[in-house]
Structure formats: structure tokens, C-alpha cells
Amino acid sequence: MADLSRLMAVHATVAVAPREFLLRNALVVAGDARIELERAVPLGDRFAPYLRVAADDPKTVCDLVAAESSVDGIEPVRRGDDEWLVHVRWAARPPLLAALCDADAACVEAVAAGGTWHLTLRFDSHEQLADCYHRCLDRDVRLTVERVRESESPGSSVDRALTGPQREALTTAYDVGYFAVPRAVTLAELADRLGVSDTAASQRLRRGMQNLLADALAEPVSERA
């Protein structure tokens, strides 16, 4: 019998232009904004119902998102000084999603920064990744593969425990000496590096550490953000 615990998954980080995916006009105008598709369990045909928008003026960026032809409307869920969480009603699904579905791929993370979407995709094999790439070309969707790595399927313990923002916050905090004794940077300085508020940085660190501990101790995690 095969050892299922040792099956490998292939993770590919790809870059795609907004015109090939989502929010082509909003991201051209608000190139400094960071927009993230919030991961959620899909129900029926609903796609990515939540966006997290981080910018100096998130309201203006959200207004630009609402004006997109691919968006039927948005409703703010949580407003912050520099970060909003909004519910989105999409008018249409982009061709890239059809290619991912046909290739049976999973989108682990999707973040737009600097006017470009960066997607982390998970495949069962390199052949499946190649098949997805060619399906995208068939639909005139151009992807730039930035990085490919293998990990134990369905992901390492850390992959399962952390969301993208939590991983980024913890990794950055470790790299700049936030956890050192004495601390090399303050929370405010760390937040500035992450491009979020002090409160958002603190929440990501706290929730990330909580999720890591819960995973390590085999306790269920009820709060993910």
C-alpha cells in the first residue's frame, strides 16, 4: 500500500497581469494598493466573495473596484484606516479560473501588489502544472512562472496552519529581529515594513502564533484571518 503521508504536491507561484485575471482598471490606477482574495470554502458557483484591500486610501480603491465591469457590487464588511475587508459580487469569472478548474488545480493564495497578481497554485504533479500552463495559453492567458517547489501533500504542517498574511508577518518579524532579545525593531517599524497598521500587524502575529501552536498541539483552530 502506498504511503499517502509522503505524497508530494507541486506549488507554483505565478504572475499574471490584471487584464488577464481581475480588476484590470482598478489596479492600473491604484498600483500601490495591495488586494488579496480572501480564502473561503466555495459554495456552489460563488467565487472569491471577499477582498482585503490595503492602501493609504482604501475607500478610493474600493470605489475603483466597484466601478469594474466584472463587479456587480461591493459591500464593506470591515473598515480600517488603511485596510478594508469587502464582500464582492462578481459579474463574470475570468478565463484563468476556467483553466485552473479544467486542470484540477487549487489556488492557495492570490495577491495583487505593484499592479500585478501573484498566485500560489497547488498541483498533484509537474505534469498537471504543465497541463494547466498550456490550458491557459489556449485561452490567451499569459502566466509567468516565478517559482516551483515541492512539499508533502496536502501541504506541510506550517502550510496548513498559516494564512498568507500570517506567514508574511511572522517571516518578516523573524528576519528583522522582532523576536530577538532585546528586540531589534518595534511593532510600529514592523508594521511599516508590512505596509499595514500596528493593529493589523499585531493581529497577524498573534493569530499566526496561535495557529502554529494549535497545529503543533493538535488542537482545532476556529479563528483564521
Side-chain angles (χ1 to χ4, degrees):
M1 182 179 294
D3 183 2
L4 297 180
S5 65
R6 299 301 297 175
L7 292 178
M8 303 300 290
V10 177
H11 289 76
T13 302
V14 303
V16 59
R19 65 177 180 275
E20 309 271 14
F21 188 39
L22 293 170
L23 309 180
R24 59 182 298 172
N25 296 321
L27 288 172
V28 168
V29 177
D32 293 336
R34 175 186 171 92
I35 299 178
E36 180 176 355
L37 299 184
E38 284 287 287
R39 289 182 293 176
V41 177
L43 299 175
D45 293 330
R46 297 184 66 194
F47 155 68
Y50 297 100
L51 288 180
R52 188 179 297 274
V53 178
D56 292 336
D57 185 3
K59 180 183 183 304
T60 297
V61 178
C62 289
D63 289 342
L64 291 170
V65 170
E68 288 277 340
S69 61
S70 60
V71 175
D72 273 341
I74 68 171
E75 180 180 351
V77 176
R78 185 172 63 248
R79 297 180 176 92
D81 292 338
D82 53 12
E83 185 174 279
W84 282 26
L85 179 66
V86 296
H87 180 267
V88 183
R89 296 187 304 276
W90 299 101
R93 293 163 64 104
L96 173 58
L97 290 183
L100 295 179
C101 290
D102 289 348
D104 199 23
C107 183
V108 178
E109 186 177 48
V111 176
T116 300
W117 282 100
H118 300 273
L119 280 60
T120 301
L121 308 175
R122 186 173 67 231
F123 304 90
D124 292 333
S125 65
H126 288 278
E127 290 76 15
Q128 187 184 21
L129 167 58
D131 176 60
C132 180
Y133 182 81
H134 289 295
R135 288 179 186 273
C136 287
L137 292 181
D138 291 341
R139 289 177 168 83
D140 293 324
V141 176
R142 298 294 185 265
L143 300 179
T144 299
V145 179
E146 298 179 316
R147 184 164 65 100
V148 177
R149 65 180 177 86
E150 292 183 345
S151 66
E152 292 181 13
S153 180
S156 68
S157 176
V158 173
D159 286 335
R160 294 192 300 268
L162 296 178
T163 67
Q166 291 167 6
R167 174 187 290 276
E168 178 189 21
L170 288 171
T171 300
T172 302
Y174 181 82
D175 289 342
V176 301
Y178 179 78
F179 297 118
V181 180
R183 282 180 175 169
V185 298
T186 65
L187 178 62
E189 291 170 333
L190 175 61
D192 185 62
R193 286 176 177 267
L194 294 171
V196 299
S197 66
D198 295 8
T199 300
S202 177
Q203 289 177 346
R204 290 179 186 181
L205 290 174
R206 177 177 60 82
R207 291 173 180 172
M209 289 187 288
Q210 174 186 332
N211 290 350
L212 282 177
L213 286 171
D215 186 78
L217 299 174
E219 291 290 339
V221 177
S222 59
E223 183 182 45
R224 298 267 181 170

